[in-house]
Amino acid sequence: MHTKEEKLAAFGRLLDVLDTLRVKCPWDRKQTNESLRPNTIEETFELCDALMKDDKKNICKELGDVLLHVCFYALIGSETGDFDIADVCNTQADKLIFRHPHVYGNVKAETTEQVLENWEQIKLKEKDGNKSVLSGIPDALPSLIKAFRIQEKAQNVGFDWKDKGDVWAKVREELDELEVELRKGDEENSTRELGDFLFSLINAARLYHLNPDNALEHTNQKFISRFNYIEEHSIKAGKPLTEMSLEEMDKLWNEAKCREQIKN
């Protein structure tokens, strides 16, 4: 691993390269916060994909892409005189120190739960912090992640189940209400009840320290792998998927499932 001096030198090299490109490259020269934003979103999702796959080589690569965007926004900020990369780093360091009084102060926090509870209370006290417990959650977050964060923030100020096992009664209640509306054929109420059911299930995952977004993505990848197995065999057999029976596809699905179990 590199020394601190080598790390600082590498970061400085990246800033130097970006400064040069900003002046000499036509594409880099015309970029703005608005034009970079879609690329930043894409790079963030590519990093998330590499993290999910635990692909160390690509994690390193995608971290670099995200870091480049952070530096680029800071460079644009320096050009307008609003802030530069030093301001970004110092602001973050100051915030971390302020929000970790159990490390830099006299507050005691022995567990992760206590740290998170302190974190939310400190954020509410910050001069420029959020005005309410839930106001800091970005509107653009994917709904599943947003639900999880809403529940986490509510938990950190004491609004939570006393016994995590009690959540299952709520999950069953919401499922029953969904089934009632589905039998009625009421699409609007069914949609509303489906949302309530999903929210309660995400809540249960949180209480049992499971990440529902990661869990769903693992299932997505598992489905893709198994379905690709079916498709590959349909191609080898010269038989389009649309002409295969459900029984034939189920047989191949189970084969793919068995192969996974053998690998594991």
Coordinates of all heavy atoms in Angstrom, one line a residue, residues 108-182:
K108 N -20.2 9.4 24.8 CA -19.9 8.0 24.8 C -20.9 7.3 23.8 O -22.1 7.6 23.8 CB -20.1 7.3 26.2 CG -19.0 7.7 27.1 CD -19.1 6.9 28.4 CE -17.9 7.3 29.4 NZ -18.0 6.5 30.6
A109 N -20.4 6.4 23.0 CA -21.2 5.6 22.1 C -20.5 4.3 21.8 O -19.5 4.2 21.2 CB -21.4 6.4 20.7
E110 N -21.0 3.3 22.4 CA -20.4 1.9 22.4 C -20.9 1.1 21.3 O -20.2 0.1 20.9 CB -20.6 1.2 23.7 CG -20.1 2.0 24.9 CD -18.6 2.2 24.9 OE1 -17.9 1.4 24.3 OE2 -18.1 3.2 25.6
T111 N -22.0 1.4 20.7 CA -22.6 0.6 19.7 C -22.9 1.4 18.4 O -23.0 2.6 18.4 CB -23.9 -0.1 20.1 OG1 -24.9 1.0 20.3 CG2 -23.7 -0.8 21.4
T112 N -23.1 0.7 17.3 CA -23.5 1.3 16.0 C -24.8 2.1 16.2 O -24.9 3.2 15.6 CB -23.6 0.3 14.9 OG1 -22.4 -0.4 14.8 CG2 -24.0 0.9 13.6
E113 N -25.7 1.5 16.9 CA -27.0 2.1 17.1 C -26.9 3.5 17.8 O -27.6 4.5 17.4 CB -28.0 1.2 17.8 CG -28.5 0.0 17.1 CD -27.4 -1.1 16.9 OE1 -26.4 -1.0 17.7 OE2 -27.5 -1.9 16.0
Q114 N -26.1 3.5 18.8 CA -25.8 4.8 19.6 C -25.2 5.8 18.7 O -25.5 7.0 18.8 CB -25.0 4.5 20.8 CG -25.7 3.7 21.9 CD -24.8 3.3 23.0 OE1 -23.6 3.1 22.8 NE2 -25.3 3.2 24.2
V115 N -24.3 5.4 17.8 CA -23.6 6.3 16.9 C -24.6 6.9 16.0 O -24.6 8.2 15.8 CB -22.5 5.6 16.1 CG1 -22.0 6.5 15.0 CG2 -21.4 5.2 17.0
L116 N -25.5 6.1 15.4 CA -26.5 6.6 14.4 C -27.5 7.5 15.1 O -27.9 8.5 14.5 CB -27.2 5.4 13.8 CG -26.4 4.6 12.8 CD1 -27.1 3.3 12.4 CD2 -25.9 5.4 11.6
E117 N -27.9 7.2 16.3 CA -28.8 8.0 17.1 C -28.2 9.4 17.3 O -28.8 10.4 17.2 CB -29.2 7.3 18.4 CG -30.3 8.1 19.2 CD -30.7 7.4 20.4 OE1 -30.4 6.2 20.5 OE2 -31.4 8.0 21.3
N118 N -26.9 9.4 17.8 CA -26.2 10.7 18.0 C -26.1 11.5 16.7 O -26.3 12.7 16.7 CB -24.8 10.4 18.6 CG -24.9 9.9 20.0 OD1 -25.8 10.1 20.7 ND2 -23.8 9.3 20.4
W119 N -25.8 10.7 15.6 CA -25.6 11.4 14.3 C -26.9 12.2 13.9 O -26.8 13.3 13.5 CB -25.3 10.3 13.3 CG -25.1 10.8 11.9 CD1 -26.0 11.1 11.0 CD2 -23.8 10.9 11.3 NE1 -25.4 11.5 9.8 CE2 -24.0 11.4 9.9 CE3 -22.5 10.7 11.7 CZ2 -23.0 11.6 9.0 CZ3 -21.5 11.0 10.8 CH2 -21.7 11.4 9.5
E120 N -28.0 11.6 14.1 CA -29.3 12.2 13.7 C -29.6 13.4 14.6 O -30.0 14.5 14.1 CB -30.5 11.3 13.7 CG -30.4 10.2 12.6 CD -30.4 10.8 11.2 OE1 -30.9 11.9 11.0 OE2 -29.8 10.1 10.3
Q121 N -29.3 13.3 15.9 CA -29.6 14.4 16.8 C -28.6 15.5 16.5 O -29.0 16.7 16.6 CB -29.5 13.9 18.2 CG -30.6 12.9 18.6 CD -30.3 12.3 20.0 OE1 -29.3 12.5 20.6 NE2 -31.3 11.5 20.4
I122 N -27.4 15.2 16.2 CA -26.4 16.3 15.9 C -26.8 17.0 14.6 O -26.7 18.3 14.6 CB -25.0 15.7 15.8 CG1 -24.5 15.2 17.1 CG2 -24.0 16.7 15.2 CD1 -23.3 14.3 17.1
K123 N -27.2 16.3 13.6 CA -27.6 16.9 12.4 C -28.8 17.9 12.6 O -28.8 19.0 11.9 CB -28.1 15.8 11.4 CG -26.9 15.1 10.8 CD -27.3 13.9 9.9 CE -28.0 14.4 8.6 NZ -28.3 13.2 7.8
L124 N -29.7 17.6 13.5 CA -30.8 18.5 13.7 C -30.3 19.8 14.4 O -31.0 20.8 14.3 CB -31.8 17.8 14.6 CG -32.7 16.7 13.9 CD1 -33.6 16.0 14.9 CD2 -33.5 17.3 12.7
K125 N -29.2 19.7 15.2 CA -28.7 20.9 15.9 C -27.8 21.7 15.0 O -27.5 22.9 15.4 CB -27.9 20.4 17.1 CG -28.8 19.7 18.2 CD -28.0 19.2 19.3 CE -28.8 18.4 20.4 NZ -28.0 17.9 21.4
E126 N -27.3 21.2 13.9 CA -26.4 22.0 13.1 C -27.1 23.2 12.5 O -28.2 23.2 12.1 CB -25.9 21.1 11.9 CG -24.9 20.0 12.4 CD -24.5 19.1 11.2 OE1 -25.1 19.3 10.1 OE2 -23.6 18.3 11.4
K127 N -26.3 24.3 12.5 CA -26.8 25.6 12.1 C -27.4 25.5 10.7 O -28.5 26.1 10.4 CB -25.7 26.7 12.1 CG -26.2 28.0 11.7 CD -25.0 29.0 11.8 CE -25.5 30.4 11.4 NZ -24.4 31.4 11.5
D128 N -26.7 24.9 9.8 CA -27.2 24.7 8.4 C -27.7 23.3 8.1 O -27.7 22.9 6.9 CB -26.0 25.1 7.4 CG -25.5 26.5 7.6 OD1 -26.4 27.4 7.8 OD2 -24.3 26.7 7.5
G129 N -28.1 22.6 9.1 CA -28.5 21.2 8.9 C -30.0 21.2 8.5 O -30.6 22.2 8.2
N130 N -30.5 20.0 8.5 CA -31.9 19.8 8.0 C -32.9 20.3 9.0 O -32.6 20.3 10.2 CB -32.1 18.3 7.8 CG -31.1 17.7 6.8 OD1 -30.9 18.3 5.8 ND2 -30.6 16.5 7.1
K131 N -34.0 20.9 8.5 CA -35.0 21.5 9.4 C -35.8 20.4 10.1 O -36.4 20.7 11.1 CB -35.8 22.4 8.6 CG -35.1 23.6 8.0 CD -36.0 24.5 7.2 CE -35.2 25.7 6.7 NZ -36.0 26.6 5.9
S132 N -35.9 19.2 9.5 CA -36.7 18.2 10.1 C -36.0 16.9 10.0 O -35.0 16.8 9.2 CB -38.1 18.1 9.5 OG -38.0 17.5 8.2
V133 N -36.4 15.8 10.7 CA -35.7 14.5 10.7 C -35.7 14.0 9.3 O -34.6 13.4 8.9 CB -36.5 13.6 11.6 CG1 -35.9 12.1 11.5 CG2 -36.4 14.0 13.0
L134 N -36.7 14.1 8.5 CA -36.8 13.5 7.2 C -36.4 14.4 6.0 O -36.4 13.9 4.9 CB -38.2 12.9 6.9 CG -38.7 11.8 8.0 CD1 -40.1 11.4 7.6 CD2 -37.7 10.7 8.1
S135 N -36.2 15.6 6.3 CA -36.0 16.6 5.2 C -34.7 16.4 4.4 O -34.5 16.9 3.3 CB -36.1 18.0 5.7 OG -35.0 18.3 6.6
G136 N -33.7 15.7 5.0 CA -32.4 15.5 4.3 C -32.4 14.3 3.3 O -31.4 14.1 2.7
I137 N -33.5 13.6 3.2 CA -33.6 12.5 2.2 C -33.8 13.0 0.8 O -34.9 13.6 0.6 CB -34.7 11.5 2.7 CG1 -34.4 11.0 4.1 CG2 -34.8 10.3 1.6 CD1 -35.5 10.1 4.6
P138 N -32.9 12.8 -0.1 CA -33.1 13.3 -1.5 C -34.4 12.8 -2.1 O -34.7 11.6 -2.0 CB -31.9 12.8 -2.2 CG -30.9 12.5 -1.1 CD -31.7 12.0 0.0
D139 N -35.1 13.6 -2.8 CA -36.3 13.2 -3.5 C -36.0 12.2 -4.6 O -36.9 11.4 -4.9 CB -37.1 14.4 -4.1 CG -37.7 15.3 -3.0 OD1 -38.0 14.8 -1.9 OD2 -37.8 16.5 -3.3
A140 N -34.8 12.3 -5.2 CA -34.5 11.5 -6.4 C -34.0 10.1 -6.0 O -33.8 9.3 -6.9 CB -33.4 12.2 -7.2
L141 N -33.9 9.8 -4.7 CA -33.5 8.4 -4.3 C -34.5 7.4 -4.9 O -35.7 7.6 -4.9 CB -33.4 8.3 -2.8 CG -32.2 8.6 -2.1 CD1 -32.3 8.3 -0.6 CD2 -31.0 7.8 -2.6
P142 N -34.0 6.2 -5.4 CA -34.9 5.2 -5.7 C -35.8 4.8 -4.6 O -35.4 4.9 -3.4 CB -34.0 4.0 -6.0 CG -32.7 4.7 -6.4 CD -32.6 5.9 -5.6
S143 N -37.1 4.5 -4.9 CA -38.1 4.4 -3.8 C -37.7 3.3 -2.7 O -38.0 3.6 -1.6 CB -39.4 4.0 -4.5 OG -39.9 5.0 -5.3
L144 N -37.1 2.2 -3.1 CA -36.8 1.2 -2.2 C -35.8 1.7 -1.2 O -35.9 1.6 0.1 CB -36.3 -0.1 -2.9 CG -36.2 -1.3 -2.0 CD1 -36.2 -2.6 -2.9 CD2 -34.8 -1.4 -1.2
I145 N -34.7 2.4 -1.7 CA -33.7 2.9 -0.8 C -34.3 4.1 0.0 O -33.9 4.2 1.2 CB -32.5 3.4 -1.6 CG1 -31.9 2.2 -2.4 CG2 -31.4 4.1 -0.8 CD1 -30.8 2.6 -3.4
K146 N -35.1 4.9 -0.6 CA -35.7 6.0 0.2 C -36.5 5.5 1.4 O -36.5 6.0 2.5 CB -36.6 6.8 -0.8 CG -37.2 8.1 -0.1 CD -38.2 8.8 -1.0 CE -37.6 9.3 -2.2 NZ -38.6 10.1 -3.0
A147 N -37.3 4.4 1.1 CA -38.1 3.8 2.2 C -37.2 3.4 3.4 O -37.5 3.6 4.5 CB -39.0 2.7 1.7
F148 N -36.1 2.7 3.0 CA -35.2 2.3 4.0 C -34.6 3.4 4.8 O -34.5 3.4 6.1 CB -34.1 1.5 3.4 CG -33.2 0.7 4.3 CD1 -33.6 -0.6 4.8 CD2 -32.0 1.2 4.7 CE1 -32.8 -1.3 5.6 CE2 -31.2 0.5 5.6 CZ -31.6 -0.8 6.0
R149 N -34.2 4.5 4.1 CA -33.6 5.6 4.8 C -34.6 6.4 5.7 O -34.3 6.8 6.8 CB -33.0 6.6 3.8 CG -31.8 6.1 3.0 CD -30.6 5.9 4.0 NE -30.2 7.2 4.5 CZ -30.0 7.5 5.7 NH1 -30.2 6.6 6.7 NH2 -29.5 8.7 6.1
I150 N -35.9 6.5 5.2 CA -37.0 7.1 6.0 C -37.1 6.3 7.3 O -37.2 6.9 8.4 CB -38.3 7.0 5.2 CG1 -38.3 8.1 4.1 CG2 -39.5 7.3 6.2 CD1 -39.5 7.9 3.2
Q151 N -37.1 5.0 7.2 CA -37.3 4.2 8.4 C -36.1 4.3 9.4 O -36.2 4.3 10.6 CB -37.6 2.7 8.0 CG -38.9 2.6 7.3 CD -39.0 1.2 6.6 OE1 -38.1 0.4 6.6 NE2 -40.0 1.1 5.8
E152 N -34.9 4.3 8.8 CA -33.7 4.5 9.6 C -33.7 5.8 10.4 O -33.4 5.8 11.6 CB -32.4 4.5 8.7 CG -31.9 3.1 8.4 CD -30.6 3.2 7.7 OE1 -30.3 4.1 6.9 OE2 -29.8 2.2 7.9
K153 N -34.1 6.9 9.7 CA -34.1 8.2 10.4 C -35.1 8.2 11.4 O -34.9 8.8 12.5 CB -34.3 9.3 9.3 CG -33.0 9.6 8.5 CD -33.3 10.7 7.5 CE -32.0 11.1 6.8 NZ -31.0 11.8 7.7
A154 N -36.3 7.7 11.2 CA -37.3 7.6 12.2 C -36.9 6.8 13.4 O -37.1 7.2 14.6 CB -38.6 7.0 11.7
Q155 N -36.2 5.7 13.2 CA -35.6 4.8 14.2 C -34.7 5.6 15.1 O -34.7 5.5 16.3 CB -34.9 3.6 13.6 CG -34.1 2.8 14.6 CD -33.0 2.0 13.9 OE1 -32.9 2.0 12.7 NE2 -32.3 1.2 14.7
N156 N -33.8 6.4 14.5 CA -32.8 7.1 15.2 C -33.3 8.2 16.2 O -32.5 8.7 17.0 CB -31.8 7.7 14.2 CG -30.9 6.7 13.5 OD1 -30.7 5.6 14.0 ND2 -30.5 7.0 12.3
V157 N -34.5 8.6 16.1 CA -35.1 9.5 17.0 C -36.1 8.8 17.9 O -37.0 9.4 18.6 CB -35.7 10.7 16.4 CG1 -34.7 11.5 15.7 CG2 -36.8 10.3 15.3
G158 N -36.1 7.4 17.9 CA -36.9 6.6 18.8 C -38.3 6.1 18.3 O -39.0 5.5 19.0
F159 N -38.6 6.4 17.0 CA -39.9 6.0 16.5 C -39.7 4.6 15.8 O -39.3 4.6 14.6 CB -40.4 7.0 15.4 CG -41.8 6.7 15.0 CD1 -42.9 6.9 15.8 CD2 -42.0 6.3 13.7 CE1 -44.2 6.7 15.4 CE2 -43.3 6.0 13.3 CZ -44.4 6.2 14.1
D160 N -39.9 3.6 16.5 CA -39.6 2.2 16.0 C -40.3 1.2 16.9 O -40.8 1.5 17.9 CB -38.1 2.0 16.1 CG -37.6 0.9 15.1 OD1 -38.4 0.5 14.3 OD2 -36.4 0.5 15.2
W161 N -40.3 0.0 16.4 CA -40.9 -1.1 17.1 C -40.1 -1.5 18.3 O -38.9 -1.5 18.3 CB -40.9 -2.4 16.2 CG -41.8 -2.2 15.0 CD1 -41.4 -1.7 13.8 CD2 -43.2 -2.5 14.8 NE1 -42.4 -1.6 12.9 CE2 -43.6 -2.2 13.5 CE3 -44.1 -3.1 15.7 CZ2 -44.8 -2.4 13.0 CZ3 -45.4 -3.3 15.2 CH2 -45.8 -2.9 13.9
K162 N -40.8 -1.7 19.4 CA -40.0 -2.1 20.7 C -39.5 -3.5 20.5 O -38.4 -3.9 21.0 CB -41.0 -2.0 21.9 CG -41.3 -0.6 22.2 CD -42.2 -0.5 23.5 CE -42.5 0.9 23.9 NZ -43.4 1.0 25.1
D163 N -40.3 -4.4 19.9 CA -39.9 -5.8 19.7 C -39.9 -6.0 18.2 O -41.0 -5.9 17.6 CB -40.8 -6.8 20.4 CG -40.4 -8.2 20.3 OD1 -39.6 -8.5 19.4 OD2 -40.9 -9.0 21.0
K164 N -38.8 -6.3 17.6 CA -38.8 -6.5 16.1 C -39.7 -7.6 15.6 O -40.2 -7.5 14.5 CB -37.3 -6.7 15.6 CG -36.7 -8.0 16.1 CD -35.3 -8.1 15.6 CE -34.6 -9.5 16.0 NZ -33.2 -9.6 15.5
G165 N -39.9 -8.6 16.4 CA -40.8 -9.6 16.0 C -42.2 -9.2 15.7 O -43.0 -9.8 15.0
D166 N -42.6 -8.1 16.3 CA -44.0 -7.5 16.2 C -44.2 -7.0 14.7 O -45.4 -6.9 14.3 CB -44.3 -6.4 17.2 CG -44.3 -6.9 18.6 OD1 -44.5 -8.1 18.8 OD2 -44.2 -6.1 19.5
V167 N -43.2 -6.8 14.0 CA -43.3 -6.2 12.7 C -44.0 -7.2 11.7 O -44.7 -6.8 10.8 CB -42.0 -5.8 12.1 CG1 -41.2 -7.0 11.7 CG2 -42.2 -4.9 10.9
W168 N -43.9 -8.5 12.0 CA -44.5 -9.5 11.1 C -46.0 -9.5 11.1 O -46.7 -9.7 10.1 CB -44.0 -10.9 11.4 CG -42.5 -11.0 11.2 CD1 -41.6 -11.1 12.1 CD2 -41.9 -10.9 9.9 NE1 -40.3 -11.1 11.6 CE2 -40.5 -11.0 10.2 CE3 -42.3 -10.7 8.6 CZ2 -39.5 -10.9 9.2 CZ3 -41.3 -10.6 7.6 CH2 -40.0 -10.7 7.9
A169 N -46.6 -9.1 12.2 CA -48.1 -8.9 12.3 C -48.5 -7.8 11.3 O -49.5 -7.9 10.6 CB -48.5 -8.6 13.7
K170 N -47.7 -6.7 11.3 CA -48.0 -5.6 10.4 C -47.8 -6.0 8.9 O -48.6 -5.6 8.0 CB -47.0 -4.4 10.7 CG -47.3 -3.2 9.9 CD -48.7 -2.6 10.2 CE -48.9 -1.3 9.5 NZ -50.3 -0.8 9.7
V171 N -46.8 -6.8 8.6 CA -46.5 -7.3 7.3 C -47.7 -8.1 6.8 O -48.2 -8.0 5.7 CB -45.2 -8.1 7.2 CG1 -45.1 -8.8 5.8 CG2 -44.0 -7.2 7.5
R172 N -48.2 -9.0 7.7 CA -49.4 -9.9 7.3 C -50.6 -9.1 7.2 O -51.4 -9.3 6.3 CB -49.6 -11.0 8.4 CG -48.4 -11.9 8.5 CD -48.7 -13.1 9.5 NE -47.5 -13.8 9.8 CZ -46.7 -13.7 10.8 NH1 -47.0 -12.7 11.7 NH2 -45.6 -14.4 10.9
E173 N -50.8 -8.0 8.0 CA -51.9 -7.2 7.9 C -52.0 -6.5 6.6 O -53.0 -6.4 5.9 CB -51.9 -6.1 9.0 CG -53.0 -5.1 9.0 CD -52.8 -4.0 10.0 OE1 -52.2 -4.2 11.0 OE2 -53.2 -2.8 9.6
E174 N -50.8 -5.9 6.2 CA -50.7 -5.2 4.9 C -50.9 -6.1 3.7 O -51.6 -5.8 2.7 CB -49.4 -4.5 4.8 CG -49.1 -3.4 5.8 CD -50.1 -2.2 5.7 OE1 -50.9 -2.2 4.8 OE2 -50.1 -1.4 6.6
L175 N -50.4 -7.4 3.8 CA -50.6 -8.4 2.7 C -52.1 -8.7 2.6 O -52.7 -8.8 1.5 CB -49.8 -9.6 3.0 CG -49.9 -10.7 2.0 CD1 -49.6 -10.3 0.6 CD2 -49.1 -11.9 2.4
D176 N -52.8 -8.9 3.8 CA -54.2 -9.2 3.8 C -55.0 -8.1 3.1 O -55.9 -8.3 2.3 CB -54.7 -9.4 5.2 CG -54.2 -10.7 5.8 OD1 -53.8 -11.6 5.0 OD2 -54.3 -10.8 7.0
E177 N -54.7 -6.8 3.4 CA -55.4 -5.7 2.8 C -55.1 -5.6 1.3 O -56.0 -5.2 0.6 CB -54.9 -4.4 3.5 CG -55.4 -4.3 5.0 CD -54.9 -3.1 5.7 OE1 -54.1 -2.3 5.1 OE2 -55.2 -2.9 6.9
L178 N -53.9 -5.9 0.9 CA -53.6 -5.9 -0.5 C -54.4 -7.0 -1.2 O -55.0 -6.7 -2.3 CB -52.1 -6.2 -0.7 CG -51.7 -6.5 -2.2 CD1 -52.0 -5.3 -3.1 CD2 -50.2 -6.8 -2.2
E179 N -54.5 -8.2 -0.7 CA -55.3 -9.3 -1.3 C -56.8 -8.9 -1.4 O -57.4 -9.2 -2.4 CB -55.1 -10.6 -0.5 CG -53.7 -11.1 -0.6 CD -53.5 -12.4 0.2 OE1 -54.2 -12.6 1.2 OE2 -52.6 -13.2 -0.1
V180 N -57.3 -8.2 -0.4 CA -58.7 -7.8 -0.4 C -59.0 -6.9 -1.6 O -59.9 -7.0 -2.4 CB -59.1 -7.1 0.9 CG1 -60.5 -6.4 0.7 CG2 -59.2 -8.1 2.0
E181 N -58.1 -5.9 -1.8 CA -58.2 -4.9 -2.9 C -58.0 -5.6 -4.3 O -58.7 -5.2 -5.3 CB -57.3 -3.8 -2.7 CG -57.5 -2.9 -1.5 CD -59.0 -2.4 -1.4 OE1 -59.6 -2.1 -2.5 OE2 -59.5 -2.2 -0.3
L182 N -57.1 -6.6 -4.3 CA -56.9 -7.3 -5.6 C -58.1 -8.1 -6.0 O -58.5 -8.1 -7.2 CB -55.7 -8.2 -5.5 CG -54.3 -7.5 -5.4 CD1 -53.2 -8.5 -5.0 CD2 -54.0 -6.8 -6.7

